[in-house]
Amino acid sequence: MPSKIRAMPRWQTIVIGSSIASVLIAGAVTTTMVLTAKPDPAVGTGPAIAAVPETPKVSPPETMSVAATFAGWTLESAIGVQPAAETGKIEDGNIALLLNADIAGAADASAVLSQLVPVIGGLEYEFRALVRLDSASSGTGSVAIMLGEQQLDLPAPAPAWTEVTGMYTAEPGQTEMRLAIAASGDVAGFRIDAITLAPIGETTNAVLNGSFEDFAAPTQITNPELIMRTGEAYIGVSWRAATLSWEVLSETGAALLDGTLPANSSLNLIPLGDLEQGYYSVSVAPEDGSAEPITATFMVLDQTTIPAGERDSRFGVGTHIGEPYYVGSETVGAQIGFAHARTDARWSHIEKVKGVYDYPQILTDGVRDFEAAGMDMLPIVGYGNKLYDAGAPSTPDGIAAYVSLASNVVSTFDAHALEVFNEFNNPLLNTGACGTTPACYLPILQATADRIRAEYPGIPIVGPANARTDDAFLTGLYQLGGLDYLDAVSFHPYDYDYGDNKGAEFLVDSLKQVEDRIKEYNDGEAKPIWITELGWTSTLVESDNQQADYLVRSEVIAFASGVERFYWYDLVNDHLHPLDHEGNFGMVRQQTEQIPAFEPKRSAMAQSMLIRKIGGKDFAVRDNLNETTYSYAFGSSDDTTRVAWSTKPVSVSFATKVPVKVTSQYGEVTVVKPINGTITIELGEQTIYIDGDLSVARLIG
């Protein structure tokens, strides 16, 4: 959704105060446990009820690294190789050189880190170094240590440090020798440390910075990922300062852990393996206050990897694959658990010469990476091309060209569905000569559907991808027979405003109306509904909370209303400034030099928990409570999970004879034991998950 339209007032969001959900045990004595705050480490929460088999005990990593340059050493080729400083599991000092290489091209292509070492002609020198090679990631990958033209043999890949030795004799009159570490092909995890070169019988080391302790690196949180598995959480810090202090806060802002890092060390690892599933922030700063702190948010999940074949097909995400800031974001999309991704295939970017399709490499690489990460692609063949018609196609030649591109996009992207245009009813996106009416859209839809169905049977045709729901446009399209060419009806219900529709709850009536309208023009039969774009920005006070709340509530309402697929808009913030309205629809923040990982917002944690709590469970029933209280059951029998909230504080009771697991929106688990056969749940705007085969909910009071 382009910035021009999102900047309009109708896209703005309203801040709603968030109630704290708590659990009450009914009986003579009432005990309250706040779910949104991490418990005091000294206070237990009772035995957990295992929802899945216990995972093997894991620990944080023992090493961490940061891209670096090293005093005395020259990187002769930077293509496909990144030297890094690594700490942890080091045999000599605090730092070792870590070298990973992915070098394409000729077999002799290599990347070299070298220095000219002073030598005295005629003397014999002894070389020593410690090396560790975790793996060679392809048959062509290799690492060599070169003493001039002499190559030293290296041991086979092994997790332990091994000493490598060699002899070198300087020629008469020679004053320097080229020492080089050369990588060719694909190499992963080569470490070297404690390099010395000294004349026989002497101890003076001729190698400058052979221990790699003298390095330069950005001041940053070094984690490549900030979504981590329970037991494996850590924070890496690269910062040259006298003493650094750090603190970890819970989702509610409660202080959980703190400490200091060793004085004058520049690279450190903070193990946080004791943290349970949840959403956290970490702050690191010089203890003397000489610089502003670096603060980053991170997530801990009991399950960070959902196999692609086991992901719930209801969950998709909007993207801008092809933008530089999206490179690598497929990893975080897969960690959250999405089964699908939606992105633009812009006509004007692909066909710049009539009949010639030249896809931007960054786009095809990104689509390939998302597919490899287990997310099926929904491409949008969108907008106009000045080679044909101005704006959306309207002439026979323009429509034919659009359809030809659509066919090529399906083939190129190996698309699992195709969306025909994006927000055709929006004058900002459709400046075609015909206009924005259903009658102008129908010829494009019909021609595209006929071609794709003939060439790629079974590929769903999706449209019209309306801006807002726009019942008038949908009705007009249906009256013209548009449903015959649609396998799924899509729209973008950005219909919230400044009145009573401040949150997601307007979708209850809106989606019922959409379903009824389809049946009205489809002989009483339903058709799949896809919400291919909907989101809330997070630029106002406390709006990170609001965005997360609305994400869960809108998706739950949608699935309970029969929506087959929901693409949240969007994955990565489009801008860096936290107050940019257009730029903060993402659920993770862009990478920066200080935080080179995709930093999760609260919505990323909320989305992850929703996927894990109702994934694979069909909607069953909505509890009949009141107009401001929502409780939706997914699954059946003992495998039932309720998603519940209320826009006004309320208490709800359930009859049960067994303990019930209650999970907060941010993953904290509390086990509630019934007293006198009843548990009582206090609901607020933040959703909670209640597991178990419970009686129908009943309002209290």
Side-chain angles (χ1 to χ4, degrees), residues 507-526:
L507 285 169
V508 175
D509 293 334
S510 176
L511 291 171
K512 177 65 166 59
Q513 187 272 334
V514 170
E515 182 182 34
D516 289 345
R517 187 73 75 212
I518 291 172
K519 290 179 179 179
E520 180 182 349
Y521 290 95
N522 198 42
D523 297 325
E525 297 294 325

Side-chain angles (χ1 to χ4, degrees), residues 144-232:
I145 298 175
M146 304 297 298
L147 307 179
E149 299 300 318
Q150 177 184 333
Q151 179 175 328
L152 298 183
D153 293 330
L154 294 182
W161 288 98
T162 303
E163 186 174 57
V164 173
T165 61
M167 305 298 294
Y168 180 81
T169 301
E171 298 291 334
Q174 183 178 352
T175 60
E176 59 186 16
M177 181 268 289
R178 179 174 176 269
L179 169 63
I181 304 165
S184 62
D186 298 335
V187 175
F190 174 76
R191 281 94 169 175
I192 187 167
D193 198 7
I195 300 176
T196 61
L197 184 76
I200 297 296
E202 297 185 16
T203 59
T204 302
N205 186 10
V207 178
L208 180 64
N209 194 25
S211 67
F212 300 99
E213 301 293 320
D214 187 1
F215 71 93
T219 297
Q220 63 181 208
I221 301 293
T222 64
N223 292 50
E225 298 173 0
L226 287 168
I227 299 177
M228 294 169 278
R229 187 160 69 118
T230 304
E232 295 179 343

